[in-house]
Each structure stands twice: as C-alpha cells, then as structure tokens.
Amino acid sequence: MMRIEIICTGDEVLTGKIVNTNFSYISQKLEDVGLSVRWETTVGDDRESLLRALRLAGERADAVIVNGGLGPTVDDLSQEVAAQAAGVELVLNDEWLTRMEEFFRRRSRVMPPNNRKQAMLPATAEVIDNPIGTACGFALDIGEARFFFTPGVPRELHRMLEEQIIPRLLAKSGMQTAIVLKRFHSYGLGESHVDALLRGVEELVPDGSVKLGFRAHYPQLETKLTVRGTDTEDTRRKLAPVEREVRKRLGNFILSEDDATLEGVVLAELASRQGSLSIVETFTSGAIAARLAHLPGADKVFCRAVVARALGEVYAAVGLEGASATGELTRETAEAVARAARRQTHATHALAVLIDLDDGADRIDLGGTICLAIATEHEVASRRSRILGGREWVRLGAVEMGLDCLRRYLQNLPVYERIDFEKA
C-alpha cells in the first residue's frame, strides 16, 4: 500500500488560530478513493522546520501532499524550501507569470510586484494548474517521494486535489482509476446501527471492489460506497445491486443522496407542487429558516419565519393572543401554532418546531422536549420527542427533526418513526 504523508504549513495552523479544515478535507478525499494517510505533520512559517519536514517525508513516504505557503508574501516559503530540499535552483516560470498577469488583467487590476514570487518554482518541478487563483501547484521528487505542493485557499485546494492530484496518486499506486463514490445521507440512525443494518452488502460484489464507509456528523450520518472498476461502465454495474440494497435497508431514513441536501430536497418538493412555506421555531436561533431561505428558488416558496424564545411571543406573532402560554408543551400546542401560522401567511404548508429546554447548567444529561407540527389547509401532522445531550445537541437535533419530518410529510412517508437519538 502506498505510504502517503500530508504536511500543513503556517503559524496560524500550528497555533490553532484557525481550524485546519484542509487536512480533514484532503484525508477524507483520499479515503474516498481507497488511499489512506500514514503521517501528518504541521509546521509553522519557519524555513528550517519546513526543510526538516520535507526531508524526513522524502525518506519515509511514497507521496507527500504539502498544503500552504505558495502565496506572494515573505512568510510563504514552500517554493524556496522545496528547491533547497530537492537540491535544484529556483527559476522563473514564464508561462505561469503570463497566466498571473492575465488573471489580474481580466479583473482590471495591475499585478503587484510581489506576486512575481508565485511564478518562481524549483527547476525540476511539474506545474499543477490552478484555474481559479494565482498560486500554481507543483510536483517534484524529494528523496524517495513524489511531492505535491498545493495552495492553502480551500476552494483552490479542492479543485487541484480532485482534478489533478488524486488521479496522479491513483496512477502512481497502480490501483484501478475508474472510481464511483455513492453517498447516502440519513437522519435518525446512529453509525453502529447503520453498520449492523448494512452488514454484508459489500459481499454482493464478490471481487472486493466495493468498500462501505461512514462519516458521522451529528445529526446526520453519511454512508459511502466506493466502487472500483476497469471503466465507468464496470463501476456502475457493480454499484447498482449494492445501492439498491442500501436503499432497501435504510428505507425512510435516507433523506438525500450524493450532493443533495435535506433542505434542498424539501424546497424541491414544495416547488414541484407550487407550494409555499411558513416556519415557526423556538430556541433554534432561526436555524431552520436559515437552512432554506438562501437557496436558489426559495423566494418563490419561503413566506415567513417566526423566531422567538417565549411561547407567548409565538402566540402573539401568529395571532393566538388569547391562548394560554403556560403549562406543559404538547403536540396540540404545536398543531395550533402551525395552523395559525399557515392561516396568517396563506402558505400551503406551515412548520412549527417548539422546544421546552430543561432548566440548569449545560451538561450531557440536559435535554429538551420537542413538539412539532406540519399544517396544510385540510390536515395537520405532529410528533413529540425528547432528546438529551446538552443545549447544542438538542438544538441541532430539533432543527434536523423538523426539516426531516417535513420531508417525510411531503414524500408521503410516516412523520413519526422512532430514532436512535430520542429518549423515553
């Protein structure tokens, strides 16, 4: 198996002033295609530290991805130190210099003199294109390893990694390069539960070319199928029976697939029937509305959101001034609020997600009672749930539950199915 190392550079990463999302992105993308990271190193903006890291990686790895340090400022050292580690000169790449000058011209700007530094590359380097930025990537050999230098700007890294570096790594590894990644997003089932439900699905393809994996990011779980084949047709043929079985076993808990999101699915369902939506939410800081309101096409669907903390304020906002705001929160409460919100805004659908949070300090056993309802002109559907795990756990769970119940309603699925996260 190919030994891969990732080196991340920058004082801000080393000191924790920014979260190193680039490392997690790189390692996740490599795992998706069956490659794994063996070592990870973080170094600051220090020439000697970076030089030592490059030389050590060149001795123990087959391939190394270096992230950061390709900018135009004095603390961007990757090109210089790479040339030193490889024992070659730093030379001007005229082709990339021309590309940068054109980059600035298209934006009606003059290229600052210090950007010229970004076209200075090790003499033996292979340029790796950056179609959306001024920092080109490059590859060269240091010691026994092939090094790939990438920019620190996430969107530039993402394009370079997916379009150019991963194909080179797969070719270097000798692995089959035709790969399909299928993703299922679910809510309500924990990782161990889904693992048990899907036991044996990989064996539907006996040659071992299908790999099952998970990525838990509460409240959702991503289930991944990575399939290798000789070509795209081969991978699709292998994937078909496995993805059918995953859909069968996970059933209604699958909320979206691949790049689709839960909120995108909800919006599409409403748009397809020329529907509209009003939302009432408490304790969520407006997170349900925020998931929907910015999406393309939301202006034709999204009517209004009421975000409040006290039930009395909710009643006043939806025109239920005479209702009592005291006593236990119930499904009937949520139903009345949803009906009133729909009437008031003339929306085809209204979603109310009301939360009664426990009193006390934030702790693992602190929880909340969630009562939600979906109202249309002719009917209302509702459910009650209780989630433990602290304030943020309750908030995130309530937001996801509200959107998922609305998805279920719109897709004619049961609004209530017991989930792994709720407590009696």
Side-chain angles (χ1 to χ4, degrees):
M1 181 177 290
M2 187 163 61
R3 298 165 298 179
I4 299 176
E5 181 164 351
I6 297 174
I7 298 175
C8 297
T9 71
D11 287 341
E12 68 280 4
V13 175
L14 186 64
T15 59
K17 291 180 179 177
I18 65 167
V19 177
N20 189 3
T21 57
N22 282 352
F23 169 73
S24 59
Y25 184 86
I26 296 169
S27 57
Q28 184 68 48
K29 285 297 180 181
L30 294 179
E31 182 186 343
D32 287 343
V33 298
L35 299 170
S36 58
V37 179
R38 190 160 181 179
W39 299 282
E40 187 271 332
T41 303
T42 303
V43 296
D45 298 319
D46 167 31
R47 186 184 303 273
E48 290 305 314
S49 296
L50 180 56
L51 182 60
R52 284 195 299 270
L54 297 185
R55 286 173 171 167
L56 176 60
E59 295 172 0
R60 66 186 181 186
D62 300 308
V64 182
I65 298 173
V66 183
N67 183 240
L70 300 182
T73 58
V74 293
D75 59 345
D76 290 307
L77 303 171
S78 289
Q79 294 106 311
E80 299 172 41
V81 178
Q84 185 179 353
V88 299
E89 294 295 320
L90 202 62
V91 299
L92 179 67
N93 186 292
D94 292 318
E95 183 179 349
W96 190 255
L97 179 62
T98 301
R99 282 278 301 275
M100 284 197 300
E101 290 170 341
E102 179 61 25
F103 180 93
F104 282 94
R105 262 197 303 272
R106 287 198 305 269
R107 290 157 178 79
S108 301
R109 295 165 58 194
V110 176
M111 188 181 83
N114 61 344
N115 277 92
R116 183 182 175 90
K117 175 176 179 290
Q118 294 180 288
M120 299 295 295
L121 301 176
T124 56
E126 170 198 5
V127 174
I128 300 178
D129 188 29
N130 180 354
I132 55 175
T134 59
C136 69
F138 61 93
L140 82 164
D141 295 327
I142 299 174
E144 301 299 317
R146 186 67 170 172
F147 280 68
F148 300 90
F149 289 80
T150 62
V153 178
R155 67 190 188 100
E156 297 177 20
L157 164 68
H158 297 177
R159 287 281 298 268
M160 196 176 292
L161 182 72
E162 295 173 29
E163 296 176 3
Q164 300 184 69
I165 294 175
I166 285 179
R168 285 171 166 86
L169 289 173
L170 290 171
K172 182 176 175 63
S173 71
M175 300 168 70
Q176 291 178 317
T177 56
I179 295 173
V180 170
L181 174 65
K182 180 67 182 178
R183 296 180 292 151
F184 299 89
H185 309 284
S186 60
Y187 166 69
L189 301 177
E191 185 175 359
S192 59
H193 190 172
V194 174
D195 184 50
L197 287 172
L198 298 182
R199 187 165 295 135
V201 294
E202 296 164 298
E203 297 165 14
L204 292 172
V205 181
D207 66 2
S209 57
V210 176
K211 179 186 176 184
L212 175 68
F214 304 100
R215 185 170 75 92
H217 49 111
Y218 179 80
Q220 289 190 16
L221 175 70
E222 181 181 85
T223 300
K224 302 178 295 182
L225 295 172
T226 304
V227 186
R228 296 181 176 281
T230 54
D231 51 37
T232 301
E233 184 179 347
D234 184 39
T235 56
R236 295 292 181 188
R237 177 181 56 79
K238 292 175 177 178
L239 175 62
V242 185
E243 67 175 322
R244 280 198 301 268
E245 190 64 19
V246 171
R247 289 195 190 98
K248 177 182 175 181
R249 297 189 192 185
L250 298 188
N252 300 337
F253 291 95
I254 296 175
L255 52 88
S256 65
E257 299 183 18
D258 299 319
D259 292 329
T261 63
L262 172 56
E263 53 269 30
V265 169
V266 167
L267 190 69
E269 290 284 353
L270 286 165
S272 69
R273 62 198 74 189
Q274 296 184 312
S276 53
L277 177 67
S278 289
I279 297 170
V280 181
E281 48 188 315
T282 64
F283 181 64
T284 60
S285 302
I288 299 175
R291 292 266 293 266
L292 287 162
H294 71 285
L295 297 178
D299 55 311
K300 296 181 177 64
V301 172
F302 188 78
C303 290
R304 182 190 181 198
V306 173
V307 180
R309 200 50 198 274
L311 196 54
E313 294 174 0
V314 169
Y315 286 164
V318 299
L320 290 174
E321 289 92 342
S324 172
T326 61
E328 182 184 2
L329 181 64
T330 65
R331 288 172 58 176
E332 289 74 20
T333 307
E335 290 173 2
V337 168
R339 286 194 187 100
R342 195 207 64 78
R343 284 195 304 269
Q344 190 180 64
T345 59
H346 306 289
T348 62
H349 296 74
L351 169 67
V353 179
L354 309 179
I355 302 166
D356 186 10
L357 191 72
D358 293 351
D359 293 329
D362 196 14
R363 58 190 186 274
I364 192 66
D365 59 338
L366 183 131
T369 299
I370 303 162
C371 292
L372 65 86
I374 300 153
T376 65
E377 183 180 1
H378 302 294
E379 65 178 352
V380 62
S382 62
R383 72 166 292 179
R384 180 183 185 276
S385 181
R386 180 160 174 77
I387 294 178
L388 300 182
R391 301 170 70 88
E392 187 65 3
W393 194 268
V394 173
R395 187 183 74 84
L396 291 172
V399 170
E400 207 70 20
M401 183 182 293
L403 283 168
D404 191 51
C405 286
L406 180 55
R407 170 194 70 89
R408 286 168 169 267
Y409 182 86
L410 294 167
Q411 294 179 342
N412 296 313
L413 300 173
V415 168
Y416 175 77
E417 282 187 80
R418 183 167 177 81
I419 63 173
D420 290 345
F421 310 126
E422 62 184 332
K423 307 298 179 184

